Amino acid sequence: MTTSPTLVLGADLRVNRLGFGAMRLTDGWTGQPRGGRDHAIAVARRAVELGVTFIDTADSYGLGANEELLAEALYPYPEGLVIATKAGQSRPGPELWRPLGRPEYLRQQAELSLRRLRVERIDLFQLHRVDPQVPFADQVGALRQLQDAGKIRHIGLSEVGIPHIEQARAIADVVSVQNLYHLTDRRHESVLDHCAAHGIAFIPWLPVANGRHARSAGPIAAVAAEVGATPAQVSLAWLLHHARVSLPIPGTGSLAHLAENVAAGAVELTDDQVKRLDDLDS
């Protein structure tokens, strides 16, 4: 079981601060389960067995197949499990991603996610990307309408700056922000600080830099050797230490890597080790 610390989303959903990004369970375009259906289902189930209580997916992961696989693996969902999904990022081709934030599209995708996840209300529904062709207030307004209708519980944003967060908060309560962030890429440090100041969960995606932090040489590996952990675990432990509102979502299709990631919640770092890791971005 995980020993990671916890945080509360929206004052009523307490989750362990090491989540699971489900994207890698399915092929991004065809939706075929990676490693076969039985294996992908086993990974999802094992995440919950290990104590993960926050799973992140999206309507565009495998064109909905990722949500369907999670439902097949985990429904009926155990008490306390939060499955967050996203809409607003379309897939017009295998290698293409395009923001699509028209209100009618967001409402449609929410209905489809409800059906695929087999729930009556989505705990956390996130705007996957801001569509520059649609007034931002209309995009957030669509999510607020879904919330008022009881279709979603909480609203989150993804890949946004402070101005968008504040504009959204004037329309609806925003409980989370999901941005690219990890030990060696802190371009959104000011956003993280803003979230911490306002009690908004910050969800770093790509938290181990697409595997680059798992290398067996370098300063991260040196700290890992000192604490008896792996470099990837140290990278995740740093995220947990760096900000109390951080909720990393390492993703994997490997049972071994899953167990390694979850165990990062028990890794303790000294002040000196944290400082050395902090200095990697300077």
Side-chain angles (χ1 to χ4, degrees), residues 22-46:
M23 182 180 181
R24 294 186 183 181
L25 294 181
T26 55
D27 177 79
W29 176 247
T30 68
Q32 291 298 310
R34 297 184 187 274
R37 181 166 296 276
D38 289 346
H39 174 77
I41 287 175
V43 172
R45 289 176 176 169
R46 185 58 178 156

mmCIF file with all atom_site columns, all heavy atoms in Angstrom, residues 22-46:
data_model
loop_
_atom_site.group_PDB
_atom_site.id
_atom_site.type_symbol
_atom_site.label_atom_id
_atom_site.label_alt_id
_atom_site.label_comp_id
_atom_site.label_asym_id
_atom_site.label_entity_id
_atom_site.label_seq_id
_atom_site.pdbx_PDB_ins_code
_atom_site.Cartn_x
_atom_site.Cartn_y
_atom_site.Cartn_z
_atom_site.occupancy
_atom_site.B_iso_or_equiv
_atom_site.pdbx_formal_charge
_atom_site.auth_seq_id
_atom_site.auth_comp_id
_atom_site.auth_asym_id
_atom_site.auth_atom_id
_atom_site.pdbx_PDB_model_num
ATOM 1   N N   . ALA A 1 22 ? -3.334  7.313   -16.659 1.00 0.00 ? 22 ALA A N   1
ATOM 2   C CA  . ALA A 1 22 ? -3.758  6.108   -17.376 1.00 0.00 ? 22 ALA A CA  1
ATOM 3   C C   . ALA A 1 22 ? -3.467  6.140   -18.874 1.00 0.00 ? 22 ALA A C   1
ATOM 4   O O   . ALA A 1 22 ? -3.720  5.156   -19.571 1.00 0.00 ? 22 ALA A O   1
ATOM 5   C CB  . ALA A 1 22 ? -5.257  5.878   -17.156 1.00 0.00 ? 22 ALA A CB  1
ATOM 6   N N   . MET A 1 23 ? -2.938  7.231   -19.393 1.00 0.00 ? 23 MET A N   1
ATOM 7   C CA  . MET A 1 23 ? -2.790  7.399   -20.834 1.00 0.00 ? 23 MET A CA  1
ATOM 8   C C   . MET A 1 23 ? -2.067  6.231   -21.493 1.00 0.00 ? 23 MET A C   1
ATOM 9   O O   . MET A 1 23 ? -2.427  5.783   -22.577 1.00 0.00 ? 23 MET A O   1
ATOM 10  C CB  . MET A 1 23 ? -2.062  8.703   -21.132 1.00 0.00 ? 23 MET A CB  1
ATOM 11  C CG  . MET A 1 23 ? -1.884  9.007   -22.605 1.00 0.00 ? 23 MET A CG  1
ATOM 12  S SD  . MET A 1 23 ? -1.019  10.583  -22.838 1.00 0.00 ? 23 MET A SD  1
ATOM 13  C CE  . MET A 1 23 ? -0.998  10.686  -24.619 1.00 0.00 ? 23 MET A CE  1
ATOM 14  N N   . ARG A 1 24 ? -1.035  5.712   -20.846 1.00 0.00 ? 24 ARG A N   1
ATOM 15  C CA  . ARG A 1 24 ? -0.201  4.674   -21.463 1.00 0.00 ? 24 ARG A CA  1
ATOM 16  C C   . ARG A 1 24 ? -0.836  3.290   -21.446 1.00 0.00 ? 24 ARG A C   1
ATOM 17  O O   . ARG A 1 24 ? -0.251  2.330   -21.963 1.00 0.00 ? 24 ARG A O   1
ATOM 18  C CB  . ARG A 1 24 ? 1.161   4.631   -20.783 1.00 0.00 ? 24 ARG A CB  1
ATOM 19  C CG  . ARG A 1 24 ? 1.980   5.898   -21.005 1.00 0.00 ? 24 ARG A CG  1
ATOM 20  C CD  . ARG A 1 24 ? 3.367   5.768   -20.439 1.00 0.00 ? 24 ARG A CD  1
ATOM 21  N NE  . ARG A 1 24 ? 4.126   7.002   -20.597 1.00 0.00 ? 24 ARG A NE  1
ATOM 22  C CZ  . ARG A 1 24 ? 5.387   7.159   -20.196 1.00 0.00 ? 24 ARG A CZ  1
ATOM 23  N NH1 . ARG A 1 24 ? 6.021   6.153   -19.616 1.00 0.00 ? 24 ARG A NH1 1
ATOM 24  N NH2 . ARG A 1 24 ? 5.996   8.310   -20.375 1.00 0.00 ? 24 ARG A NH2 1
ATOM 25  N N   . LEU A 1 25 ? -2.003  3.164   -20.880 1.00 0.00 ? 25 LEU A N   1
ATOM 26  C CA  . LEU A 1 25 ? -2.669  1.855   -20.899 1.00 0.00 ? 25 LEU A CA  1
ATOM 27  C C   . LEU A 1 25 ? -3.193  1.507   -22.283 1.00 0.00 ? 25 LEU A C   1
ATOM 28  O O   . LEU A 1 25 ? -3.400  0.328   -22.589 1.00 0.00 ? 25 LEU A O   1
ATOM 29  C CB  . LEU A 1 25 ? -3.827  1.828   -19.891 1.00 0.00 ? 25 LEU A CB  1
ATOM 30  C CG  . LEU A 1 25 ? -3.454  1.926   -18.414 1.00 0.00 ? 25 LEU A CG  1
ATOM 31  C CD1 . LEU A 1 25 ? -4.711  1.858   -17.556 1.00 0.00 ? 25 LEU A CD1 1
ATOM 32  C CD2 . LEU A 1 25 ? -2.473  0.816   -18.021 1.00 0.00 ? 25 LEU A CD2 1
ATOM 33  N N   . THR A 1 26 ? -3.430  2.514   -23.113 1.00 0.00 ? 26 THR A N   1
ATOM 34  C CA  . THR A 1 26 ? -3.961  2.269   -24.454 1.00 0.00 ? 26 THR A CA  1
ATOM 35  C C   . THR A 1 26 ? -3.148  3.044   -25.480 1.00 0.00 ? 26 THR A C   1
ATOM 36  O O   . THR A 1 26 ? -2.543  4.070   -25.179 1.00 0.00 ? 26 THR A O   1
ATOM 37  C CB  . THR A 1 26 ? -5.436  2.701   -24.563 1.00 0.00 ? 26 THR A CB  1
ATOM 38  O OG1 . THR A 1 26 ? -5.552  4.075   -24.160 1.00 0.00 ? 26 THR A OG1 1
ATOM 39  C CG2 . THR A 1 26 ? -6.332  1.841   -23.694 1.00 0.00 ? 26 THR A CG2 1
ATOM 40  N N   . ASP A 1 27 ? -3.161  2.553   -26.724 1.00 0.00 ? 27 ASP A N   1
ATOM 41  C CA  . ASP A 1 27 ? -2.549  3.297   -27.809 1.00 0.00 ? 27 ASP A CA  1
ATOM 42  C C   . ASP A 1 27 ? -3.286  4.612   -27.992 1.00 0.00 ? 27 ASP A C   1
ATOM 43  O O   . ASP A 1 27 ? -4.522  4.662   -27.934 1.00 0.00 ? 27 ASP A O   1
ATOM 44  C CB  . ASP A 1 27 ? -2.611  2.477   -29.100 1.00 0.00 ? 27 ASP A CB  1
ATOM 45  C CG  . ASP A 1 27 ? -2.047  3.225   -30.290 1.00 0.00 ? 27 ASP A CG  1
ATOM 46  O OD1 . ASP A 1 27 ? -0.817  3.280   -30.429 1.00 0.00 ? 27 ASP A OD1 1
ATOM 47  O OD2 . ASP A 1 27 ? -2.851  3.769   -31.076 1.00 0.00 ? 27 ASP A OD2 1
ATOM 48  N N   . GLY A 1 28 ? -2.527  5.678   -28.232 1.00 0.00 ? 28 GLY A N   1
ATOM 49  C CA  . GLY A 1 28 ? -3.133  6.999   -28.277 1.00 0.00 ? 28 GLY A CA  1
ATOM 50  C C   . GLY A 1 28 ? -4.147  7.201   -29.380 1.00 0.00 ? 28 GLY A C   1
ATOM 51  O O   . GLY A 1 28 ? -5.061  8.012   -29.234 1.00 0.00 ? 28 GLY A O   1
ATOM 52  N N   . TRP A 1 29 ? -4.010  6.475   -30.494 1.00 0.00 ? 29 TRP A N   1
ATOM 53  C CA  . TRP A 1 29 ? -4.914  6.693   -31.616 1.00 0.00 ? 29 TRP A CA  1
ATOM 54  C C   . TRP A 1 29 ? -5.905  5.536   -31.802 1.00 0.00 ? 29 TRP A C   1
ATOM 55  O O   . TRP A 1 29 ? -7.106  5.740   -31.853 1.00 0.00 ? 29 TRP A O   1
ATOM 56  C CB  . TRP A 1 29 ? -4.120  6.911   -32.907 1.00 0.00 ? 29 TRP A CB  1
ATOM 57  C CG  . TRP A 1 29 ? -4.980  7.042   -34.126 1.00 0.00 ? 29 TRP A CG  1
ATOM 58  C CD1 . TRP A 1 29 ? -5.068  6.180   -35.171 1.00 0.00 ? 29 TRP A CD1 1
ATOM 59  C CD2 . TRP A 1 29 ? -5.897  8.104   -34.420 1.00 0.00 ? 29 TRP A CD2 1
ATOM 60  N NE1 . TRP A 1 29 ? -5.972  6.627   -36.105 1.00 0.00 ? 29 TRP A NE1 1
ATOM 61  C CE2 . TRP A 1 29 ? -6.491  7.815   -35.670 1.00 0.00 ? 29 TRP A CE2 1
ATOM 62  C CE3 . TRP A 1 29 ? -6.266  9.275   -33.756 1.00 0.00 ? 29 TRP A CE3 1
ATOM 63  C CZ2 . TRP A 1 29 ? -7.443  8.651   -36.260 1.00 0.00 ? 29 TRP A CZ2 1
ATOM 64  C CZ3 . TRP A 1 29 ? -7.208  10.100  -34.348 1.00 0.00 ? 29 TRP A CZ3 1
ATOM 65  C CH2 . TRP A 1 29 ? -7.779  9.792   -35.576 1.00 0.00 ? 29 TRP A CH2 1
ATOM 66  N N   . THR A 1 30 ? -5.398  4.307   -31.850 1.00 0.00 ? 30 THR A N   1
ATOM 67  C CA  . THR A 1 30 ? -6.291  3.162   -32.090 1.00 0.00 ? 30 THR A CA  1
ATOM 68  C C   . THR A 1 30 ? -7.070  2.774   -30.847 1.00 0.00 ? 30 THR A C   1
ATOM 69  O O   . THR A 1 30 ? -8.131  2.163   -30.949 1.00 0.00 ? 30 THR A O   1
ATOM 70  C CB  . THR A 1 30 ? -5.490  1.940   -32.571 1.00 0.00 ? 30 THR A CB  1
ATOM 71  O OG1 . THR A 1 30 ? -4.656  1.457   -31.499 1.00 0.00 ? 30 THR A OG1 1
ATOM 72  C CG2 . THR A 1 30 ? -4.629  2.287   -33.768 1.00 0.00 ? 30 THR A CG2 1
ATOM 73  N N   . GLY A 1 31 ? -6.525  3.099   -29.681 1.00 0.00 ? 31 GLY A N   1
ATOM 74  C CA  . GLY A 1 31 ? -7.184  2.715   -28.439 1.00 0.00 ? 31 GLY A CA  1
ATOM 75  C C   . GLY A 1 31 ? -6.914  1.289   -28.016 1.00 0.00 ? 31 GLY A C   1
ATOM 76  O O   . GLY A 1 31 ? -7.449  0.834   -27.000 1.00 0.00 ? 31 GLY A O   1
ATOM 77  N N   . GLN A 1 32 ? -6.076  0.566   -28.762 1.00 0.00 ? 32 GLN A N   1
ATOM 78  C CA  . GLN A 1 32 ? -5.768  -0.807  -28.401 1.00 0.00 ? 32 GLN A CA  1
ATOM 79  C C   . GLN A 1 32 ? -4.991  -0.853  -27.087 1.00 0.00 ? 32 GLN A C   1
ATOM 80  O O   . GLN A 1 32 ? -4.054  -0.072  -26.879 1.00 0.00 ? 32 GLN A O   1
ATOM 81  C CB  . GLN A 1 32 ? -4.951  -1.482  -29.498 1.00 0.00 ? 32 GLN A CB  1
ATOM 82  C CG  . GLN A 1 32 ? -5.721  -1.724  -30.787 1.00 0.00 ? 32 GLN A CG  1
ATOM 83  C CD  . GLN A 1 32 ? -6.900  -2.655  -30.569 1.00 0.00 ? 32 GLN A CD  1
ATOM 84  O OE1 . GLN A 1 32 ? -6.763  -3.733  -29.976 1.00 0.00 ? 32 GLN A OE1 1
ATOM 85  N NE2 . GLN A 1 32 ? -8.064  -2.232  -31.031 1.00 0.00 ? 32 GLN A NE2 1
ATOM 86  N N   . PRO A 1 33 ? -5.357  -1.750  -26.187 1.00 0.00 ? 33 PRO A N   1
ATOM 87  C CA  . PRO A 1 33 ? -4.639  -1.836  -24.910 1.00 0.00 ? 33 PRO A CA  1
ATOM 88  C C   . PRO A 1 33 ? -3.178  -2.217  -25.137 1.00 0.00 ? 33 PRO A C   1
ATOM 89  O O   . PRO A 1 33 ? -2.879  -3.148  -25.891 1.00 0.00 ? 33 PRO A O   1
ATOM 90  C CB  . PRO A 1 33 ? -5.388  -2.937  -24.151 1.00 0.00 ? 33 PRO A CB  1
ATOM 91  C CG  . PRO A 1 33 ? -6.739  -3.000  -24.802 1.00 0.00 ? 33 PRO A CG  1
ATOM 92  C CD  . PRO A 1 33 ? -6.499  -2.674  -26.238 1.00 0.00 ? 33 PRO A CD  1
ATOM 93  N N   . ARG A 1 34 ? -2.281  -1.516  -24.491 1.00 0.00 ? 34 ARG A N   1
ATOM 94  C CA  . ARG A 1 34 ? -0.855  -1.817  -24.626 1.00 0.00 ? 34 ARG A CA  1
ATOM 95  C C   . ARG A 1 34 ? -0.529  -3.094  -23.839 1.00 0.00 ? 34 ARG A C   1
ATOM 96  O O   . ARG A 1 34 ? -0.892  -3.216  -22.675 1.00 0.00 ? 34 ARG A O   1
ATOM 97  C CB  . ARG A 1 34 ? -0.015  -0.651  -24.109 1.00 0.00 ? 34 ARG A CB  1
ATOM 98  C CG  . ARG A 1 34 ? -0.198  0.643   -24.902 1.00 0.00 ? 34 ARG A CG  1
ATOM 99  C CD  . ARG A 1 34 ? 0.745   1.709   -24.391 1.00 0.00 ? 34 ARG A CD  1
ATOM 100 N NE  . ARG A 1 34 ? 0.500   3.011   -24.991 1.00 0.00 ? 34 ARG A NE  1
ATOM 101 C CZ  . ARG A 1 34 ? 1.009   3.428   -26.135 1.00 0.00 ? 34 ARG A CZ  1
ATOM 102 N NH1 . ARG A 1 34 ? 1.807   2.625   -26.819 1.00 0.00 ? 34 ARG A NH1 1
ATOM 103 N NH2 . ARG A 1 34 ? 0.731   4.635   -26.608 1.00 0.00 ? 34 ARG A NH2 1
ATOM 104 N N   . GLY A 1 35 ? 0.138   -4.023  -24.509 1.00 0.00 ? 35 GLY A N   1
ATOM 105 C CA  . GLY A 1 35 ? 0.464   -5.284  -23.859 1.00 0.00 ? 35 GLY A CA  1
ATOM 106 C C   . GLY A 1 35 ? -0.692  -6.259  -23.818 1.00 0.00 ? 35 GLY A C   1
ATOM 107 O O   . GLY A 1 35 ? -0.583  -7.323  -23.191 1.00 0.00 ? 35 GLY A O   1
ATOM 108 N N   . GLY A 1 36 ? -1.808  -5.901  -24.458 1.00 0.00 ? 36 GLY A N   1
ATOM 109 C CA  . GLY A 1 36 ? -2.987  -6.759  -24.432 1.00 0.00 ? 36 GLY A CA  1
ATOM 110 C C   . GLY A 1 36 ? -3.980  -6.302  -23.378 1.00 0.00 ? 36 GLY A C   1
ATOM 111 O O   . GLY A 1 36 ? -3.609  -5.684  -22.372 1.00 0.00 ? 36 GLY A O   1
ATOM 112 N N   . ARG A 1 37 ? -5.257  -6.609  -23.618 1.00 0.00 ? 37 ARG A N   1
ATOM 113 C CA  . ARG A 1 37 ? -6.311  -6.143  -22.722 1.00 0.00 ? 37 ARG A CA  1
ATOM 114 C C   . ARG A 1 37 ? -6.132  -6.650  -21.292 1.00 0.00 ? 37 ARG A C   1
ATOM 115 O O   . ARG A 1 37 ? -6.267  -5.899  -20.329 1.00 0.00 ? 37 ARG A O   1
ATOM 116 C CB  . ARG A 1 37 ? -7.676  -6.556  -23.277 1.00 0.00 ? 37 ARG A CB  1
ATOM 117 C CG  . ARG A 1 37 ? -8.853  -6.101  -22.416 1.00 0.00 ? 37 ARG A CG  1
ATOM 118 C CD  . ARG A 1 37 ? -10.170 -6.236  -23.154 1.00 0.00 ? 37 ARG A CD  1
ATOM 119 N NE  . ARG A 1 37 ? -10.184 -5.337  -24.305 1.00 0.00 ? 37 ARG A NE  1
ATOM 120 C CZ  . ARG A 1 37 ? -10.516 -4.054  -24.248 1.00 0.00 ? 37 ARG A CZ  1
ATOM 121 N NH1 . ARG A 1 37 ? -10.847 -3.506  -23.073 1.00 0.00 ? 37 ARG A NH1 1
ATOM 122 N NH2 . ARG A 1 37 ? -10.514 -3.307  -25.320 1.00 0.00 ? 37 ARG A NH2 1
ATOM 123 N N   . ASP A 1 38 ? -5.826  -7.934  -21.138 1.00 0.00 ? 38 ASP A N   1
ATOM 124 C CA  . ASP A 1 38 ? -5.697  -8.484  -19.788 1.00 0.00 ? 38 ASP A CA  1
ATOM 125 C C   . ASP A 1 38 ? -4.583  -7.789  -19.013 1.00 0.00 ? 38 ASP A C   1
ATOM 126 O O   . ASP A 1 38 ? -4.725  -7.521  -17.817 1.00 0.00 ? 38 ASP A O   1
ATOM 127 C CB  . ASP A 1 38 ? -5.418  -9.992  -19.856 1.00 0.00 ? 38 ASP A CB  1
ATOM 128 C CG  . ASP A 1 38 ? -6.631  -10.790 -20.323 1.00 0.00 ? 38 ASP A CG  1
ATOM 129 O OD1 . ASP A 1 38 ? -7.746  -10.223 -20.342 1.00 0.00 ? 38 ASP A OD1 1
ATOM 130 O OD2 . ASP A 1 38 ? -6.451  -11.966 -20.667 1.00 0.00 ? 38 ASP A OD2 1
ATOM 131 N N   . HIS A 1 39 ? -3.476  -7.496  -19.708 1.00 0.00 ? 39 HIS A N   1
ATOM 132 C CA  . HIS A 1 39 ? -2.360  -6.839  -19.029 1.00 0.00 ? 39 HIS A CA  1
ATOM 133 C C   . HIS A 1 39 ? -2.729  -5.416  -18.623 1.00 0.00 ? 39 HIS A C   1
ATOM 134 O O   . HIS A 1 39 ? -2.465  -5.001  -17.487 1.00 0.00 ? 39 HIS A O   1
ATOM 135 C CB  . HIS A 1 39 ? -1.132  -6.815  -19.948 1.00 0.00 ? 39 HIS A CB  1
ATOM 136 C CG  . HIS A 1 39 ? 0.018   -6.036  -19.367 1.00 0.00 ? 39 HIS A CG  1
ATOM 137 N ND1 . HIS A 1 39 ? 0.825   -6.535  -18.368 1.00 0.00 ? 39 HIS A ND1 1
ATOM 138 C CD2 . HIS A 1 39 ? 0.473   -4.778  -19.632 1.00 0.00 ? 39 HIS A CD2 1
ATOM 139 C CE1 . HIS A 1 39 ? 1.736   -5.630  -18.044 1.00 0.00 ? 39 HIS A CE1 1
ATOM 140 N NE2 . HIS A 1 39 ? 1.545   -4.556  -18.791 1.00 0.00 ? 39 HIS A NE2 1
ATOM 141 N N   . ALA A 1 40 ? -3.341  -4.657  -19.538 1.00 0.00 ? 40 ALA A N   1
ATOM 142 C CA  . ALA A 1 40 ? -3.710  -3.275  -19.228 1.00 0.00 ? 40 ALA A CA  1
ATOM 143 C C   . ALA A 1 40 ? -4.690  -3.224  -18.063 1.00 0.00 ? 40 ALA A C   1
ATOM 144 O O   . ALA A 1 40 ? -4.593  -2.363  -17.175 1.00 0.00 ? 40 ALA A O   1
ATOM 145 C CB  . ALA A 1 40 ? -4.298  -2.610  -20.460 1.00 0.00 ? 40 ALA A CB  1
ATOM 146 N N   . ILE A 1 41 ? -5.646  -4.136  -18.051 1.00 0.00 ? 41 ILE A N   1
ATOM 147 C CA  . ILE A 1 41 ? -6.612  -4.199  -16.947 1.00 0.00 ? 41 ILE A CA  1
ATOM 148 C C   . ILE A 1 41 ? -5.893  -4.541  -15.638 1.00 0.00 ? 41 ILE A C   1
ATOM 149 O O   . ILE A 1 41 ? -6.184  -3.967  -14.579 1.00 0.00 ? 41 ILE A O   1
ATOM 150 C CB  . ILE A 1 41 ? -7.710  -5.223  -17.264 1.00 0.00 ? 41 ILE A CB  1
ATOM 151 C CG1 . ILE A 1 41 ? -8.644  -4.653  -18.341 1.00 0.00 ? 41 ILE A CG1 1
ATOM 152 C CG2 . ILE A 1 41 ? -8.497  -5.599  -16.011 1.00 0.00 ? 41 ILE A CG2 1
ATOM 153 C CD1 . ILE A 1 41 ? -9.696  -5.631  -18.830 1.00 0.00 ? 41 ILE A CD1 1
ATOM 154 N N   . ALA A 1 42 ? -4.926  -5.460  -15.713 1.00 0.00 ? 42 ALA A N   1
ATOM 155 C CA  . ALA A 1 42 ? -4.179  -5.844  -14.513 1.00 0.00 ? 42 ALA A CA  1
ATOM 156 C C   . ALA A 1 42 ? -3.409  -4.660  -13.946 1.00 0.00 ? 42 ALA A C   1
ATOM 157 O O   . ALA A 1 42 ? -3.326  -4.485  -12.716 1.00 0.00 ? 42 ALA A O   1
ATOM 158 C CB  . ALA A 1 42 ? -3.227  -6.994  -14.832 1.00 0.00 ? 42 ALA A CB  1
ATOM 159 N N   . VAL A 1 43 ? -2.845  -3.813  -14.816 1.00 0.00 ? 43 VAL A N   1
ATOM 160 C CA  . VAL A 1 43 ? -2.110  -2.635  -14.345 1.00 0.00 ? 43 VAL A CA  1
ATOM 161 C C   . VAL A 1 43 ? -3.052  -1.669  -13.628 1.00 0.00 ? 43 VAL A C   1
ATOM 162 O O   . VAL A 1 43 ? -2.742  -1.163  -12.546 1.00 0.00 ? 43 VAL A O   1
ATOM 163 C CB  . VAL A 1 43 ? -1.396  -1.930  -15.515 1.00 0.00 ? 43 VAL A CB  1
ATOM 164 C CG1 . VAL A 1 43 ? -0.795  -0.608  -15.050 1.00 0.00 ? 43 VAL A CG1 1
ATOM 165 C CG2 . VAL A 1 43 ? -0.312  -2.827  -16.100 1.00 0.00 ? 43 VAL A CG2 1
ATOM 166 N N   . ALA A 1 44 ? -4.219  -1.412  -14.229 1.00 0.00 ? 44 ALA A N   1
ATOM 167 C CA  . ALA A 1 44 ? -5.181  -0.503  -13.603 1.00 0.00 ? 44 ALA A CA  1
ATOM 168 C C   . ALA A 1 44 ? -5.625  -1.031  -12.238 1.00 0.00 ? 44 ALA A C   1
ATOM 169 O O   . ALA A 1 44 ? -5.701  -0.278  -11.260 1.00 0.00 ? 44 ALA A O   1
ATOM 170 C CB  . ALA A 1 44 ? -6.382  -0.307  -14.524 1.00 0.00 ? 44 ALA A CB  1
ATOM 171 N N   . ARG A 1 45 ? -5.898  -2.311  -12.169 1.00 0.00 ? 45 ARG A N   1
ATOM 172 C CA  . ARG A 1 45 ? -6.346  -2.893  -10.902 1.00 0.00 ? 45 ARG A CA  1
ATOM 173 C C   . ARG A 1 45 ? -5.232  -2.881  -9.861  1.00 0.00 ? 45 ARG A C   1
ATOM 174 O O   . ARG A 1 45 ? -5.471  -2.639  -8.672  1.00 0.00 ? 45 ARG A O   1
ATOM 175 C CB  . ARG A 1 45 ? -6.850  -4.311  -11.142 1.00 0.00 ? 45 ARG A CB  1
ATOM 176 C CG  . ARG A 1 45 ? -8.173  -4.352  -11.891 1.00 0.00 ? 45 ARG A CG  1
ATOM 177 C CD  . ARG A 1 45 ? -8.612  -5.771  -12.202 1.00 0.00 ? 45 ARG A CD  1
ATOM 178 N NE  . ARG A 1 45 ? -9.933  -5.776  -12.832 1.00 0.00 ? 45 ARG A NE  1
ATOM 179 C CZ  . ARG A 1 45 ? -10.498 -6.844  -13.413 1.00 0.00 ? 45 ARG A CZ  1
ATOM 180 N NH1 . ARG A 1 45 ? -9.841  -8.000  -13.438 1.00 0.00 ? 45 ARG A NH1 1
ATOM 181 N NH2 . ARG A 1 45 ? -11.694 -6.752  -13.951 1.00 0.00 ? 45 ARG A NH2 1
ATOM 182 N N   . ARG A 1 46 ? -4.020  -3.138  -10.314 1.00 0.00 ? 46 ARG A N   1
ATOM 183 C CA  . ARG A 1 46 ? -2.907  -3.152  -9.376  1.00 0.00 ? 46 ARG A CA  1
ATOM 184 C C   . ARG A 1 46 ? -2.651  -1.767  -8.798  1.00 0.00 ? 46 ARG A C   1
ATOM 185 O O   . ARG A 1 46 ? -2.272  -1.636  -7.620  1.00 0.00 ? 46 ARG A O   1
ATOM 186 C CB  . ARG A 1 46 ? -1.645  -3.676  -10.071 1.00 0.00 ? 46 ARG A CB  1
ATOM 187 C CG  . ARG A 1 46 ? -0.439  -3.844  -9.152  1.00 0.00 ? 46 ARG A CG  1
ATOM 188 C CD  . ARG A 1 46 ? -0.750  -4.795  -8.011  1.00 0.00 ? 46 ARG A CD  1
ATOM 189 N NE  . ARG A 1 46 ? 0.422   -4.992  -7.162  1.00 0.00 ? 46 ARG A NE  1
ATOM 190 C CZ  . ARG A 1 46 ? 0.345   -5.361  -5.890  1.00 0.00 ? 46 ARG A CZ  1
ATOM 191 N NH1 . ARG A 1 46 ? -0.837  -5.596  -5.317  1.00 0.00 ? 46 ARG A NH1 1
ATOM 192 N NH2 . ARG A 1 46 ? 1.453   -5.529  -5.190  1.00 0.00 ? 46 ARG A NH2 1
#
